[in-house]
């Protein structure tokens, strides 16, 4: 791998670290806006933000070191270009016989590969070697004398298809876009248990009781009972076979393929949490119907508030207050396009009363995108289906973030690189896999806004 490729990788790693740090900072700001926040939650988030900040510093220093090394390499190359071996120096003017014409500046018999010419071109391009410029000028004058008619014909690069080499900017390759895992990143994280293919939770379904006692009468008693909540550990995996020629003769082929596998892994995980039959969020959430042939953002907002009210009613004292709204990007922008002259009667902390919430102008997948008028953070996730209902509807989900549980291995996804299995065909098998489990129904609290009011939006300002 060249130094330039290492620098490109370091820049990509730095960009990723900066995005992660920004995501943790956004999460911290959203947490601080929650009036029910706890000091432990803030301290934990600050620690995450500081860890991400330290990673940015480390990546920045690594990039600076590589760039300094590149500067030094360029300096040495320029120094070498200015240094002509003594054996190649032309003899003094008064120490040679001259017969009819001067010697050429660049002579094939002294430099068959043209290395001196190449060094002079580089040195002249760097702008700090006037002798190199003089030699190149003399060379062009000599060319005009000997081959002036050919130079005047001005052949273009098309005349040298075998010499004008196409350049491929591998550091600027365009990955296939992916929806990735915005909702999964917002869920409450747990480490995957070391063993087993099911996860079991005890859920109290019959509670104890109290009542007003009649004097000398027995006090109220109800036997407590639980129901076992069981959900499966699932495997998310994908593979790709590459020829050894592609890996060994290509530029960055393996990292590109691995990056794409990681993107598909994240997208599949997130889509499963939202859309899987029976247990996906769309199938466990209670519907708040929004039916309207001419929907408007102003009409949709009260439905969102109704859904949030349902979340709190289901959780009661178990509500953390850490509610989020999860919606497709087209729905988020539709809410932003609305214009109006009215505003909520009750103001909310940090929200201008005359606006329909606030947009943080962050990139897709970077965490909280903004807040609704009542301060509820918005997660934008394009794994939400847009072909529901009559075929063009999406849904808005309202949940308590702390009751959306996701178990993952801390090192997931895993990567297997197997060469032996495909050795006979010079193939290399790349496999990405990971285990996960999830549940949104420890308490049946989730709500979704659904119906004809959420058909494909038209951006008309209402």
């Amino acid at each position: 791998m060249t130094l330039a490729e290492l620098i490109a990788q370091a820049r990509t790693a730095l960009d990723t670290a900066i995005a992660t740090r920004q995501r943790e900072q956004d999460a911290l700001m959203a947490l601080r806006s929650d009036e029910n926040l706890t000091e432990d939650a803030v301290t934990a988030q600050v620690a995450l933000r500081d860890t991400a900040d330290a990673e940015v510093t480390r990546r920045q220093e690594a990039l600076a070191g590589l760039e300094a090394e590149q500067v030094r390499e360029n300096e040495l190359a320029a120094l070498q270009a200015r240094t002509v071996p003594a054996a190649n120096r032309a003899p003094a003017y008064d120490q040679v016989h001259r017969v009819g014409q001067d010697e050429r500046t660049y002579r094939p018999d002294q430099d068959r590969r043209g290395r001196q010419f190449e060094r002079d071109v580089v040195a002249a391009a760097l702008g700090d070697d006037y002798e190199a410029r003089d030699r190149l000028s003399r060379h062009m004058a000599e060319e005009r004398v000997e081959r002036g008619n050919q130079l005047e014909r001005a052949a273009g690069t098309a005349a040298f298809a075998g010499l004008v080499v196409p350049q491929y900017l591998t550091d600027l390759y365009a990955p296939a876009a992916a929806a990735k895992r915005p909702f999964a990143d917002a869920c409450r994280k747990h480490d995957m248990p070391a063993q087993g293919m099911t996860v079991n939770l005890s859920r109290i379904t019959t509670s104890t009781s109290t009542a007003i006692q009649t004097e000398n009468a027995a006090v109220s008693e109800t036997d407590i009972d639980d129901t076992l909540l069981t959900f499966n550990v699932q495997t998310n995996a994908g593979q790709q076979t590459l020829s050894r020629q592609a890996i060994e003769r290509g530029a960055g082929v393996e990292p590109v393929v691995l990056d794409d596998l990681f993107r598909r892994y994240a997208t599949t995980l997130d889509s499963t949490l939202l859309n899987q039959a029976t247990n996906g969020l769309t199938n466990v959430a209670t519907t708040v119907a929004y039916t309207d042939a001419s929907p408007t953002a102003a009409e949709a907002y009260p439905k969102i508030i109704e859904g949030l009210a349902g979340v709190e009613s289901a959780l009661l004292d178990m509500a953390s207050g850490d509610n989020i709204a999860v919606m497709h990007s087209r729905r988020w922008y539709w809410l932003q396009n609305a214009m109006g002259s009215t505003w909520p009667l009750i103001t909310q902390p940090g929200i201008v009363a005359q606006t329909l919430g606030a947009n943080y102008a962050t990139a897709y997948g970077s965490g909280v995108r903004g807040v609704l008028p009542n301060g509820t953070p918005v997660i934008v996730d394009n794994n939400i289906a847009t072909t529901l209902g009559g075929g063009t509807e999406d849904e808005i989900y309202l949940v308590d973030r702390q009751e959306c549980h996701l178990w993952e291995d801390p090192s997931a996804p895993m990567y297997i690189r197997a060469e032996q299995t495909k050795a006979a065909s010079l193939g290399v098998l790349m496999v990405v896999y990971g285990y996960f489990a999830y549940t949104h129904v420890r308490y049946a609290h989730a709500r979704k806004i659904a119906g004809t009011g959420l058909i494909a939006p038209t951006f008309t300002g209402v």
Side-chain angles (χ1 to χ4, degrees):
M1 183 174 293
T2 66
L3 191 55
E5 291 172 337
L6 289 174
I7 290 174
Q9 285 189 355
R11 285 174 178 161
T12 300
L14 177 58
D15 290 342
T16 301
I18 291 173
T20 300
R21 194 267 182 196
Q22 185 61 48
R23 183 166 59 249
E24 299 297 349
Q25 178 66 14
D26 290 342
L28 178 60
M29 295 304 294
L31 189 61
R32 284 171 171 166
S33 67
D34 183 359
E35 59 186 15
N36 295 318
L37 63 85
T38 64
E39 184 177 349
D40 290 343
V42 173
T43 300
Q45 186 59 42
V46 168
L48 291 175
R49 192 272 315 275
D50 290 346
T51 299
D53 200 47
E55 179 67 9
V56 170
T57 300
R58 188 176 74 82
R59 294 293 185 181
Q60 188 177 15
E61 292 173 349
L63 177 57
L66 290 172
E67 290 177 335
E69 186 176 344
Q70 182 68 71
V71 170
R72 181 56 179 164
E73 291 296 320
N74 292 341
E75 291 175 350
L76 292 176
L79 180 62
Q80 184 182 25
R82 293 197 296 270
T83 304
V84 181
N88 291 342
R89 291 176 182 166
Y93 180 83
D94 57 354
Q95 294 178 355
V96 297
H97 296 285
R98 299 184 178 275
V99 182
Q101 66 179 12
D102 292 333
E103 292 288 350
R104 293 293 302 265
T105 303
Y106 303 107
R107 295 172 51 187
D109 60 323
Q110 293 184 354
D111 187 6
R112 294 183 60 187
R113 295 181 180 274
R115 290 175 179 171
Q116 181 58 50
F117 174 73
E118 293 176 351
R119 286 196 292 266
D120 284 350
V121 170
V122 172
L126 293 175
D128 58 354
D129 192 332
Y130 295 102
E131 293 181 359
R133 292 182 181 181
D134 290 342
R135 286 192 291 272
L136 290 172
S137 297
R138 289 200 305 272
H139 171 68
M140 288 306 300
E142 293 160 359
E143 288 293 294
R144 291 189 186 96
V145 170
E146 296 188 9
R147 299 190 298 129
N149 62 328
Q150 298 179 37
L151 293 177
E152 289 175 359
R153 292 172 60 184
T157 57
F160 304 98
L163 298 178
V164 182
V165 182
Q167 297 300 304
Y168 294 89
L169 305 180
T170 55
D171 58 323
L172 293 178
Y173 84 97
K180 299 188 77 173
R181 45 177 293 165
F183 175 59
D185 287 338
C187 290
R188 184 176 174 181
K189 303 296 192 303
H190 307 279
D191 288 345
M192 174 67 69
Q195 295 177 324
M197 292 303 292
T198 59
V199 176
N200 299 315
L201 294 178
S202 173
R203 181 171 56 178
I204 304 301
T205 51
T206 302
S207 63
T208 60
S209 64
T210 66
I212 304 300
Q213 181 206 21
T214 301
E215 188 174 353
N216 291 324
V219 300
S220 175
E221 180 182 11
T222 302
D223 292 337
I224 191 171
D225 193 16
D226 76 337
T227 299
L228 197 62
L229 177 62
T230 301
F231 42 95
N232 294 326
V233 174
Q234 303 183 63
T235 305
N236 182 9
Q239 66 175 328
Q240 181 70 69
T241 301
L242 293 177
S243 70
R244 184 168 292 280
Q245 292 89 336
I247 294 175
E248 295 181 354
R249 303 293 296 175
V253 172
E254 188 171 2
V256 167
V257 174
L258 189 59
D259 175 72
D260 192 71
L261 281 170
F262 284 164
R263 288 169 175 269
R264 301 317 127 190
Y265 179 95
T267 301
T268 298
L269 171 66
D270 192 88
S271 180
T272 301
L273 267 60
L274 289 169
N275 304 311
Q276 189 172 41
T278 307
N279 297 317
L281 185 57
T282 185
N283 293 307
V284 301
T286 301
T287 300
V288 175
Y290 175 33
T291 304
D292 196 325
S294 302
T296 67
E299 292 173 347
Y301 178 66
K303 295 294 183 180
I304 295 175
I305 298 300
E306 180 182 346
L308 289 168
V311 170
E312 186 165 312
S313 295
L315 291 171
L316 298 176
D317 68 320
M318 299 308 299
S320 70
D322 189 9
N323 297 330
I324 57 173
V326 186
M327 63 186 72
H328 196 279
S329 63
R330 74 180 192 178
R331 192 58 54 193
W332 175 235
Y333 285 105
W334 178 68
L335 291 176
Q336 292 181 56
N337 104 109
M339 309 288 286
S341 59
T342 60
W343 49 84
L345 296 177
I346 300 176
T347 61
Q348 305 292 335
I351 306 297
V352 178
Q354 293 89 337
T355 61
L356 189 65
N359 176 33
Y360 289 166
T362 55
Y364 178 87
S366 59
V368 176
R369 295 292 297 276
V371 292
L372 297 174
N374 70 331
T376 300
V378 175
I379 301 294
V380 170
D381 193 327
N382 281 19
N383 283 305
I384 295 174
T386 58
T387 56
L388 303 172
T392 65
E393 298 171 16
D394 54 74
E395 296 174 339
I396 299 174
Y397 302 108
L398 304 158
V399 295
D400 186 318
R401 189 200 308 248
Q402 300 304 317
E403 287 304 327
C404 294
H405 298 270
L406 172 62
W407 284 262
E408 286 186 284
D409 191 306
S411 57
M414 312 292 189
Y415 170 45
I416 298 175
R417 188 181 192 274
E419 301 183 16
Q420 293 80 3
T421 56
K422 299 289 185 178
S425 57
L426 285 182
V428 176
L429 178 63
M430 302 169 62
V431 180
V432 167
Y433 77 98
Y435 303 117
F436 72 97
Y438 74 94
T439 183
H440 311 305
V441 294
R442 196 173 76 131
Y443 295 98
H445 74 290
R447 297 293 188 271
K448 67 177 181 180
I449 315 303
T452 57
L454 295 181
I455 59 174
T458 56
F459 296 90
T460 57
V462 295

